[in-house]
Amino acid sequence: MSIKIALAGNPNCGKTTLFNALTGSNQFVGNWPGVTVEKKEGKLKGHKDITIVDLPGIYSLSPYTLEEVVARNYLINEKPDAIINIVDGTNIERNLYLSTQLMELGIPVVMAINMMDVVHKSGDKIYINELSKKLGCEVVEISALKGTGIKEASEKAVKLAKEKNKSIPIHEFTPVLESVLNSVEAKIGFDVSEEQRRFFAIKLLEKDEKILSQMKQVPNIEEEINYIENEMDDDTESIITNERYLYISSIIKDCYKKTNKEKMSVSDKIDKIVTNRFLALPIFALVMFGVYYVAVTSVGTIATDWANDGVFGDGWNLFGLAIPSIPSIFESLLNAVGCVEWLKGLIIDGIVAGVGAVLGFVPQMLILFLFLAFLEACGYMARVAFIMDRLFRKFGLSGKSFIPMLIGTGCGVPGIMASRTIENDRDRKMTIMTTTFIPCTAKLPIIALIAGALFNGAWWVAPSAYFIGVLAIVCSGIILKKTKMFTGNPAPFVMELPAYHMPTFGNVMRSMWERGWSFIKKAGTVILLSTIVIWFSQNFGYSNGSFGMVDDMNDSILALFGGIIAPIFTPLGWGNWKSTVAAITGLIAKENVVGTFGVLYGFQEVAENGSEIWATLAKSMTTLSAYSFLVFNLLCAPCFAAIGAIKREMNNAKWFWFAIGYQTGLAYIVSLCIYQIGTLITTRHFGFGTVVAFIIVAAFLYMLFKPNKDGTTHQLKRNIKLQKQKI
């Protein structure tokens, strides 16, 4: 018999960590809501017939955000055999609100109180047996991070699922409310199981929009709601919420004893500094500067130079032993078997050169991932979301918009999907449009290539790329909020700040490896295929009236295609066909930009004192045009995978094309202004492009600083409309 057990709980309570421990899966674990935005499934270790389902973190079963809809729909429609309700032991009272709702579903519940190691360390006491007795369900102490208690929790859940024991809390509702609930419960006529009648009756009184659509089948429901509101002088949603918290408070006073109430914790002391109104942003800027400086400019550069010059270059020396490079190994093998020249060229000049150009940057990425994983796991990144809420709110965005952007530093796809945590539809759409402005891991090779080839490894290039992304987001928020499409107040931001703790070595290394391996797999699939296509189109074309291999690359299909499009990018300073083709192949996967240059410039021929691709690229671009090229690729439409995620999350063709057009258009005009105004400053050359750049800058500054009168007017009109509806 197959069994399904759902993991449900508040955001940041440890669900995904528990899921990994139960199933052996390596799901990403983070310290902010939205890490799990869709349900994930895995088999319980040692049990092929038992499926564990990791649901998104939710605060209640009243769906305001998309991830709450995902969780509630699964629990109501799929009806798992049991629920493991993960509760944060350090914030038990607030977590129990969801617990009471889960138990009303009539599904067997095991409550797993997580982070008990932190609770014990603080000196607090949770009386498990008393809590279990009052709630009417099994309660287990666990520490998902340290792996204690999780086996007991899973065994109890499996036992309950097999026995189908219901867990229904004994709510101490007022007699009036209890009477009405029983009346409504008896009148529910639509397709609801007997166990769920209580839940649906409460949802009806809470005026839940998802349930109200079916309310016509419940006779006299309006009268029941009006009766309660008149009797208790409040709206029914507030009444039931208040009743729940009164019930929870009555339980907590007997089951939970908190010590050292006045004493500041270590986390509180650290937060006084890192979340300080004046110090928070400078500290964050310093931290991110340090991360990118070490990962890209200093230690990361040494590691990448070793990979490029040794592994994919002329080989390296290990304890006096000369080890050949990968290109030379392939060349020797192909010569030994007498491989034909065109196939030899495909393998060495196409596959090895293209994929090698990208894989050479893996050491830098792993170092960057290591730092980010540590910052996420220790709890600092959760503070960053809180810090950025202050800043973002001034620009019309919620701090929740920063959470997808943090996740997007790894990959834009989960970053875009994490926008589901934002209730406000306008804010969610704006976040989807701007999330990919933050450099993801796929853009890191482009940053490293430009920094090394054109700026001699200058320390400021990598951090500037990150802050250009942040600036693009901030400016987009200010400007778009002044348009009719996006006007309105930002969504409220509610988030638990986890206590600071030293991350486990395994968790940090797992996070680093997951991101790194994802990048390597892409290099072995998408980029491999792309480099083959690029090599073919580079080496074949029309010459002397016939189609075939060409000696001059300028006669190739690639040169013909790139030459047609290249003039579009001439005002940006890099209107040659090679750079154009590299930027376009970046739409398949951003790493392709480097892989394409690797094929076009013959990356396997690397000198000992530096990569040949760097020297060749430097000859085709100036530092100004290179920076323009970098900015364009950072801000323009992302890779196909992220574009697909945008299409799915927008769920509207017009909004999708608007998002792609906005990203690409912004990238173009910013790059144009950088190159044209930069050229005026460095060479004093003034032309038509310079005039266009100044007009763009003037229009941009006008939109940036003009009063948001339209937003106020539209908001006022909306408020008047809402008031009329209430009347």
Side-chain angles (χ1 to χ4, degrees):
M1 180 182 73
S2 62
I3 292 174
K4 279 194 175 184
I5 299 173
L7 303 183
N10 288 181
N12 198 37
C13 68
K15 291 185 314 306
T16 305
T17 305
L18 180 60
F19 178 75
N20 290 342
L22 291 173
T23 64
S25 176
N26 291 324
Q27 295 295 335
F28 179 74
V29 179
N31 274 315
W32 52 77
V35 173
T36 305
V37 289
E38 292 182 324
K39 65 183 178 72
K40 297 180 175 71
E41 295 186 358
K43 297 295 182 182
L44 180 64
K45 287 180 182 177
H47 299 271
K48 293 182 179 180
D49 59 338
I50 299 176
T51 302
I52 305 295
V53 182
D54 182 22
L55 297 175
I58 55 175
Y59 290 107
S60 77
L61 290 178
S62 300
Y64 296 107
T65 62
L66 287 177
E67 82 273 14
E68 287 180 337
V69 173
V70 169
R72 193 175 88 163
N73 286 351
Y74 177 80
L75 291 171
I76 293 175
N77 300 327
E78 300 294 326
K79 299 175 185 173
D81 299 292
I83 298 171
I84 297 179
N85 172 214
I86 301 90
V87 170
D88 179 357
T90 63
N91 199 350
I92 188 168
E93 187 167 0
R94 201 259 302 129
N95 279 235
L96 286 179
Y97 188 90
L98 174 66
S99 303
T100 61
Q101 292 182 317
L102 292 174
M103 288 183 282
E104 284 159 4
L105 291 171
I107 300 171
V109 174
V110 173
M111 181 178 291
I113 303 183
N114 195 19
M115 306 180 196
M116 286 304 295
D117 52 325
V118 180
V119 174
H120 293 319
K121 189 176 180 180
S122 67
D124 296 345
K125 299 284 186 184
I126 298 176
Y127 301 104
I128 300 299
N129 293 334
E130 186 68 19
L131 187 62
S132 176
K133 182 181 176 182
K134 285 184 175 291
L135 287 173
C137 73
E138 296 278 2
V139 181
V140 183
E141 292 186 2
I142 70 166
S143 173
L145 195 62
K146 297 190 175 181
T148 58
I150 59 174
K151 186 177 181 182
E152 183 186 357
S154 62
E155 287 174 350
K156 285 183 180 293
V158 172
K159 183 181 177 182
L160 287 176
K162 290 178 178 177
E163 295 174 355
K164 292 290 182 183
N165 288 334
K166 301 174 189 177
S167 301
I168 303 176
I170 310 163
H171 282 242
E172 296 177 357
F173 289 136
T174 57
V176 173
L177 180 57
E178 189 67 40
S179 173
V180 173
L181 277 171
N182 292 335
S183 173
V184 174
E185 198 175 341
K187 293 175 182 176
I188 293 175
F190 49 91
D191 188 22
V192 178
S193 66
E194 199 64 38
E195 294 84 359
Q196 291 179 340
R197 283 180 175 270
R198 180 73 164 185
F199 170 77
F200 274 74
I202 292 172
K203 289 288 120 186
L204 284 168
L205 292 185
E206 287 182 330
K207 302 176 184 177
D208 189 306
E209 290 183 7
K210 297 291 180 181
I211 309 302
L212 285 174
S213 61
Q214 305 174 65
M215 198 177 70
K216 293 177 181 177
Q217 300 181 48
V218 182
N220 304 320
I221 185 65
E222 295 280 4
E223 287 83 348
E224 302 280 9
I225 291 173
N226 291 335
Y227 174 72
I228 282 285
E229 291 181 342
N230 290 331
E231 280 288 315
M232 307 187 77
D233 194 27
D234 203 349
D235 65 276
T236 48
E237 184 178 4
S238 299
I239 292 167
I240 292 174
T241 300
N242 185 57
E243 293 279 336
R244 284 192 196 282
Y245 276 115
L246 287 173
Y247 169 64
I248 292 166
S249 296
S250 69
I251 291 174
I252 289 296
K253 72 178 182 182
D254 296 327
C255 301
Y256 179 56
K257 300 297 179 187
K258 189 173 180 65
T259 58
N260 299 322
K261 292 181 180 179
E262 303 299 324
K263 187 178 178 181
M264 285 185 67
S265 66
V266 174
S267 291
D268 292 334
K269 291 175 182 176
I270 296 172
D271 281 340
K272 284 193 75 174
I273 299 171
V274 300
T275 62
N276 179 275
R277 183 176 297 275
F278 303 105
L279 297 177
L281 286 176
I283 290 172
F284 171 61
L286 192 63
V287 168
M288 295 312 298
F289 169 80
V291 166
Y292 274 81
Y293 178 78
V294 173
V296 180
T297 308
S298 56
V299 178
T301 298
I302 296 170
T304 291
D305 285 348
W306 169 81
N308 286 336
D309 297 346
V311 180
F312 296 102
D314 288 340
W316 72 97
N317 192 292
L318 183 64
F319 303 116
L321 179 66
I323 299 177
S325 66
I326 289 177
S328 61
I329 292 172
F330 271 94
E331 190 169 10
S332 299
L333 288 173
L334 294 173
N335 287 334
V337 298
C339 182
V340 294
E341 284 301 314
W342 72 265
L343 183 58
K344 182 179 173 183
L346 170 62
I347 295 171
I348 296 176
D349 298 335
I351 297 172
V352 176
V355 176
V358 177
L359 292 181
F361 293 99
V362 168
Q364 282 179 320
M365 291 190 172
L366 293 179
I367 294 170
L368 177 64
F369 297 159
L370 183 66
F371 277 106
L372 292 178
F374 180 84
L375 291 173
E376 290 161 1
C378 75
Y380 176 69
M381 282 302 196
R383 270 74 183 177
V384 173
F386 168 72
I387 292 163
M388 296 306 289
D389 181 58
R390 294 182 199 158
L391 179 66
F392 273 35
R393 196 160 290 278
K394 294 178 181 178
F395 304 130
L397 284 171
S398 164
K400 281 190 176 182
S401 298
F402 194 69
I403 294 167
M405 294 160 197
L406 284 174
I407 296 172
T409 57
C411 176
V413 175
I416 291 163
M417 291 174 64
S419 64
R420 295 180 179 186
T421 60
I422 303 169
E423 308 92 65
N424 187 300
D425 186 60
R426 295 183 302 274
D427 289 354
R428 192 173 65 84
K429 284 183 168 66
M430 192 190 301
T431 302
I432 292 169
M433 287 171 55
T434 56
T435 290
T436 55
F437 289 156
I438 291 287
C440 64
T441 55
K443 295 174 183 176
L444 187 61
I446 308 174
I447 297 170
L449 175 67
I450 297 300
L454 280 303
F455 294 92
N456 297 317
W459 62 267
W460 57 269
V461 176
S464 73
Y466 183 87
F467 289 108
I468 280 174
V470 174
L471 192 63
I473 291 165
V474 169
C475 292
S476 295
I478 296 172
I479 292 172
L480 292 175
K481 272 291 181 179
K482 295 175 182 177
T483 64
K484 291 182 180 180
M485 293 186 296
F486 295 100
T487 187
N489 296 321
F493 179 54
V494 179
M495 181 181 176
E496 289 295 319
L497 293 181
Y500 288 105
H501 61 275
M502 185 58 67
T504 61
F505 177 79
N507 195 28
V508 171
M509 297 306 292
R510 183 190 294 119
S511 177
M512 179 192 75
W513 175 246
E514 282 173 11
R515 289 172 167 176
W517 180 240
S518 176
F519 177 81
I520 292 168
K521 282 194 294 186
K522 192 184 287 185
T525 53
V526 177
I527 298 168
L528 174 63
L529 180 62
S530 300
T531 54
I532 292 172
V533 173
I534 293 165
W535 178 87
F536 176 82
S537 56
Q538 172 201 0
N539 286 279
F540 285 80
Y542 287 92
S543 180
N544 299 322
S546 62
F547 180 81
M549 289 194 75
V550 294
D551 296 324
D552 188 350
M553 196 187 301
N554 291 309
D555 295 328
S556 65
I557 300 171
L558 199 63
L560 178 64
F561 174 72
I564 294 171
I565 301 174
I568 298 173
F569 300 103
T570 300
L572 277 58
W574 41 278
N576 60 77
W577 70 267
K578 291 182 180 179
S579 299
T580 301
V581 168
I584 292 172
T585 57
L587 292 174
I588 302 171
K590 287 300 175 183
E591 306 94 320
N592 264 342
V593 173
V594 177
T596 302
F597 279 134
V599 175
L600 297 180
Y601 292 132
F603 185 59
Q604 76 279 2
E605 299 173 5
V606 182
E608 289 184 5
N609 61 349
S611 176
E612 187 67 20
I613 186 176
W614 289 11
T616 310
L617 184 61
K619 292 176 184 176
S620 64
M621 285 187 182
T622 64
T623 53
L624 199 56
S625 60
Y627 200 75
S628 168
F629 179 82
L630 173 63
V631 170
F632 180 83
N633 282 278
L634 290 178
L635 301 182
C636 77
C639 64
F640 283 167
I643 288 174
I646 292 173
K647 188 176 189 300
R648 185 170 61 251
E649 295 303 312
M650 286 295 191
N651 198 28
N652 181 290
K654 290 181 180 178
W655 274 106
F656 165 70
W657 287 113
F658 177 76
I660 299 302
Y662 179 80
Q663 292 168 339
T664 306
L666 181 67
Y668 190 91
I669 63 174
V670 171
S671 299
L672 184 143
C673 291
I674 287 172
Y675 180 72
Q676 293 294 338
I677 296 175
T679 301
L680 175 65
I681 295 170
T682 55
T683 66
R684 297 182 182 178
H685 173 76
F686 189 92
F688 178 73
T690 317
V691 175
V692 173
F694 276 115
I695 292 172
I696 291 171
V697 170
F700 174 79
L701 292 175
Y702 170 74
M703 287 296 296
L704 203 61
F705 294 108
K706 82 164 187 171
N708 193 8
K709 293 179 181 178
D710 291 340
T712 306
T713 303
H714 293 307
Q715 186 64 34
L716 183 61
K717 287 179 180 178
R718 230 188 336 266
N719 290 340
I720 293 171
K721 186 178 179 181
L722 288 171
Q723 290 297 326
K724 286 181 177 178
Q725 287 175 349
K726 288 180 180 179
I727 294 169

